[in-house]
Each structure stands twice: as structure tokens, then as C-alpha cells.
Amino acid sequence: MTSDTIADPRTPLAPRRKGLNLEKWGWAYMRVSGVLLVVLIFGHLFVNLVMGEGVRQIDFAFVVGKYATPFWQWWDVLMLWLGLIHGTNGMRTIVNDYVTHNGTRRVLIWALWIVAGLLILLGTLVVFTFDPCIPPVPSSLAGICPA
Ligand code: HEM
């Protein structure tokens, strides 16, 4: 059998390696995060674009209102973390499938996780440190922000 021939389905499994099987957990993560993302993404779209006045309600004050509650902060942060890790792990799979040069593959996969880590850090900081009252305060928030 050459390396590009698929093994007979009844071939006994190779002895299992001990220790953490990251590839297996990555596979499971894609399924679990996929289910959670359906709820989070469609909930997000429904609340922002369908409820109330729909898309016309979205402005700075709308975002301020949402980020005044820990519920929406955590909703968005969860969407950010799950989505970025899901997307990055999916891109890792695609890189593994198509990039045959070992060095290039390692560089691309490192780059993927570094970018994802930076975006997660930045996004999380934005959500939890968001302060709408930094001057110049828009007139729509004049009643909310101290003068
Ligand atoms: C709406 C909810 C989503 C569900 C239910 C979902 C589900 C899945 C599942 C089950 C896989 C694994 C497929 C496989 O192993 O063959 C996958 C792969 C992938 N997902 Fe998602 N996903 C969702 C959202 C997203 C989002 C928001 C992104 C981008 C940030 C994304 C990017 C990817 C990528 C790049 C792959 C790899 C594709 C491949 O292996 O060819 N997905 N998704």
C-alpha cells in the first residue's frame, strides 16, 4: 500500500498513543462551538435587526445601551471567543490539508493563532472597558454622561 492509498476499512487500528489527543478535542470543539454559535449568532441578529425598530435602531447609543448590561457583554464576548477559535481552528484544518511544505505550514499555523490571540485580547478589552463618556460625548448621550 502506498501512502496515498486509503486503508481497508477493516484494518485494525494502530495502538493508541497515550496523552492528550488535541486533534480529537479540536474535532469535538468544532461541533460543540458550532451548536453554540448558531444560538449566539442568530440571537444576536434577531435582537439587533428584527426586534424593536430593526436595523434603523442601530447607532452609538444602541451599542451603549447593550454594553451597559453584563448579559450582552458576555453574549458578545462568548461569540467573539467561540467564533475566533472556531474560525482559526477551521483555517488550521484547511492549511493542514493544502500546505505540503512543513516550514510554510508551521509559519501559517503560528500566524493564525497569534492573530486570533491578539483579536481575542483586543475584543475582550473593548467589550469590558467600553466607556461611552470619553469626550467628545455625542448629544444623544448628554443625559447619561456626567457633564
Ligand atoms: C453558525 C454557526 C456555525 C456552525 C454550526 C459551524 C459548524 C462547523 C463545523 C461542524 C465544522 C467542521 C466541519 C468538518 O470538520 O468537516 C466547521 C468548520 C469550519 N468553520 Fe464553522 N460553523 C459555524 C460558524 C462559523 C464561523 C462564524 C466561522 C468563521 C469565523 C466558521 C469557520 C469555519 C471554518 C474555516 C471551518 C473549516 C472548514 C473545513 O474544514 O473545510 N464557522 N464549522
Side-chain angles (χ1 to χ4, degrees):
M1 188 180 78
T2 61
S3 60
D4 55 357
T5 310
I6 295 173
D8 184 301
R10 302 215 177 269
T11 310
L13 286 173
R16 279 173 203 274
R17 272 190 297 156
K18 289 212 168 67
L20 188 67
N21 184 347
L22 270 180
E23 212 54 58
K24 180 185 83 177
W25 288 109
W27 182 92
Y29 176 84
M30 294 307 271
R31 271 81 197 155
V32 175
S33 62
V35 172
L36 294 173
L37 281 168
V38 169
V39 177
L40 289 168
I41 293 172
F42 284 98
H44 168 84
L45 292 175
F46 184 75
V47 169
N48 286 9
L49 306 178
V50 181
M51 277 175 69
E53 292 169 50
V55 68
R56 270 168 294 136
Q57 70 197 333
I58 297 181
D59 56 13
F60 190 67
F62 179 80
V63 178
V64 173
K66 276 187 95 179
Y67 283 173
T69 58
F71 179 84
W72 289 115
Q73 286 181 328
W74 280 104
W75 186 290
D76 281 9
V77 160
L78 214 61
M79 207 159 52
L80 176 83
W81 280 67
L82 289 171
L84 267 168
I85 296 172
H86 178 105
T88 306
N89 196 43
M91 283 304 297
R92 183 186 67 87
T93 305
I94 294 171
V95 167
N96 276 338
D97 281 350
Y98 288 101
V99 182
T100 49
H101 186 269
N102 280 342
T104 314
R105 196 170 57 240
R106 283 168 74 101
V107 168
L108 285 175
I109 289 175
W110 268 98
L112 278 171
W113 288 118
I114 289 171
V115 171
L118 286 175
L119 289 174
I120 284 176
L121 187 69
L122 211 74
T124 307
L125 279 173
V126 167
V127 172
F128 288 122
T129 62
F130 180 64
D131 177 3
C133 293
I134 296 172
V137 176
S139 55
S140 58
L141 295 182
I144 297 173
C145 298

